[in-house]
Amino acid sequence: MTFKETLANQDWVVTCEVAPPKGVDMKHVLEEAELLRGKVAGINVTDLQAAAMRVSSLATCSLLKQKGLEPIMQMVCRDRNRLALQSELLSAYVLGIRNVLCLTGDHTTLGDHPDAKPVFDLDSVSLLRAGQGLIEGKDLAGNELESVPTDLFLGAIVTPCADPIEPQIYKLHQKIEAGAKFIQTQAVYDVGAFEQFMKRIPEVKTPILAGIVLLKSAGMARYMNANVAGVTVPDDLIKEMAEAGEKDKQAKAEGKKGGHKVNTSIEIAARLIRDLKPLCRGVHIMPLGWGHHVPAVLEAAGL
Amino acid sequence: MIASERKPLDEILGQLEGEANVFVVACDGCSAGCQVSDPDHTEQMVKELEEAGKTVTGVARVEMVCNSGLTALMLARHLSSVNQADGLLVMSCGVGVQSVAAAVEKPVHPATNSIHLGGFQGLWRSEARCAQCGDCLLDYTGGICPYTACSKGLTHGSCGGPMDGKCEVDPSIPCGWERIYQRLAALGKADRLQEMPLRLRDFRNMLPMKERRRTSLWALELFEEPEAAEEAG
Ligand code: SF4
Ligand code: SF4
């Protein structure tokens, strides 16, 4: 089933992201994707995430497609102008890729080539419009296409726990107006804040999948609170992770088996997923290197 | 100098929709030199506004509108007519429009497009600048230029990056889009962020004419088409 069909047919869907390697060995990313077979409605492939140079989302999605998996290609506006972006949408289509998540993208200065030229010829909204235009048979300049990628399925992101939230809501409406048919969100740790967000947009019928980022440690949680826009990990979760970390340390000192941190992380994610279930159409899991733990998370969440 | 040309009347009236009373600020610097805001063309603008049913509550001529201190002083002299106005129409380059926006808590509307020439960038350079994009959108953005105030030059709202009101690129500068949002919210116009029209920057406006003439597209259009037409005809 395509991601679009799954969204239309199922009340609750799960997506998960994988990241292409910095190098040419695709074994690891393909293995991570393989773990998700039959368990998720779509697999997002990040596009030079964190502005770091690596294998493209397009190439990785194409490999997933060849293996019969359902890729969701992420596309940022940092590295290509409007010609290249539109061309890549068409290129993805001819390779069988149908789902595209459109983002503005982190600035080049935050990545591993901070001296590179940032492009941002388009932004998330105009990229969606470009994609929607192609679906309707025209490019951004208004030229007719000879053949049309009618089944392109476009999505966008939102940061539901941002402060202030109004600009996010305005932009979400712009994105939906521009052609977004599904929404995946930035990480959610505060279910109450997410519920507030959902209550403010009762008119939005576009399916929203809440973002789940696996917490690896208390330190990571604190780091995100200080550095990641619109993400707040509540203190009680940080405490839970810190206690698990202590137990691991103790176990190590006593020569026993640890794994408390991993188990706690899985438990927290599963709990968030269960709590989010009545509020939205699904979850989007971003494991950040812990892809091998995703099956356990899904199992613990009862999915 | 910063070169400018007047926006079409329709676009200006579109910006002024719902604002019956308008105060006009005209620059006596570059844009007067470009015959956009010199006394004759300012008078012409006022006439066109009045013919379209607007009440012009007053006109202020400022030596250099990009001089934000001077502009604030000059506008203070016209305080009551500025207060009577629903919005201000600024006949100057983009720097001038932003300098007026910083001085008054009212909607400001650019009457011109600033054209790229290079060289002098306006007197009020450090805090607000104009990239001379050739299609001024300060009307949509509360008088704060997204091309210069936002590190990515985004035209449809903030990226996912601002933290505590600061830009992801440099935490020592405010996020331009948060500034725009706060400004529009203060003017009671924040909901216009929901329906921003598609804004694609036209980068041809950044090309000097001479260079534009050297593009292969120019050559194709100019020379190949007439030749092809001759052959066909
Ligand atoms: S939008 Fe900005 S860059 Fe363009 S003319 Fe206005 S002030 Fe200048
Ligand atoms: S944080 Fe704000 S100013 Fe910085 S790039 Fe994003 S939208 Fe632009």
Side-chain angles (χ1 to χ4, degrees), chain A residues 158-278:
Chain A
V158 70
T159 306
C161 306
D163 178 32
I165 191 65
E166 288 79 10
Q168 284 292 324
I169 292 177
Y170 292 133
K171 197 152 183 185
L172 175 65
H173 280 110
Q174 281 194 56
K175 287 174 174 180
I176 293 171
E177 181 68 18
K181 297 288 188 296
F182 66 93
I183 308 291
Q184 294 173 316
T185 84
Q186 175 61 285
V188 175
Y189 292 101
D190 184 344
V191 178
F194 182 76
E195 190 173 6
Q196 286 307 313
F197 170 75
M198 292 302 284
K199 279 202 182 129
R200 294 196 58 159
I201 48 164
E203 69 286 1
V204 171
K205 299 290 172 257
T206 313
I208 295 182
L209 313 188
I212 300 285
V213 170
L214 299 189
L215 283 178
K216 291 183 185 169
S217 66
M220 169 191 174
R222 286 191 208 102
Y223 177 85
M224 285 202 294
N225 280 351
N227 296 296
V228 182
V231 176
T232 311
V233 187
D235 288 341
D236 48 340
L237 295 189
I238 299 182
K239 205 170 142 228
E240 250 181 275
M241 286 307 292
E243 281 166 10
E246 281 307 313
K247 277 191 207 161
D248 274 346
K249 253 191 227 152
Q250 215 177 327
K252 201 175 169 198
E254 292 166 11
K256 288 194 205 135
K257 236 178 107 206
H260 297 282
K261 255 196 311 210
V262 171
N263 290 338
T264 307
S265 170
I266 291 172
E267 234 174 78
I268 291 175
R271 197 163 67 216
L272 284 168
I273 293 172
R274 282 195 300 267
D275 292 348
L276 287 164
K277 201 161 178 183

Side-chain angles (χ1 to χ4, degrees), chain A residues 82 105 107 123 171 174 226, chain B residues 152 156 158 163 168 193 201:
Chain A
R82 61 191 86 170
H107 199 270
D123 56 27
K171 197 152 183 185
Q174 281 194 56
Chain B
K152 295 175 187 168
H156 301 94
S158 144
M163 276 282 280
E168 71 167 30
L193 289 173
R201 185 161 172 182

Side-chain angles (χ1 to χ4, degrees), chain B residues 136-150:
Chain B
C136 192
L137 38 79
L138 288 172
D139 178 55
Y140 291 94
T141 55
I144 295 168
C145 172
Y147 290 129
T148 53
C150 166

Side-chain angles (χ1 to χ4, degrees), chain B residues 117-194:
Chain B
L117 271 190
F120 176 64
Q121 303 279 305
L123 282 175
W124 190 39
R125 199 173 171 186
S126 55
E127 279 180 68
R129 284 177 301 128
C130 166
Q132 298 115 35
C133 74
D135 178 20
C136 192
L137 38 79
L138 288 172
D139 178 55
Y140 291 94
T141 55
I144 295 168
C145 172
Y147 290 129
T148 53
C150 166
S151 303
K152 295 175 187 168
L154 304 179
T155 47
H156 301 94
S158 144
C159 74
M163 276 282 280
D164 306 323
K166 301 289 192 249
C167 175
E168 71 167 30
V169 175
D170 179 355
S172 72
I173 58 170
C175 164
W177 273 100
E178 286 227 0
R179 281 174 60 206
I180 292 171
Y181 163 70
Q182 302 294 357
R183 165 87 183 170
L184 289 174
L187 296 172
K189 286 177 179 271
D191 54 356
R192 71 165 36 178
L193 289 173
Q194 188 148 327

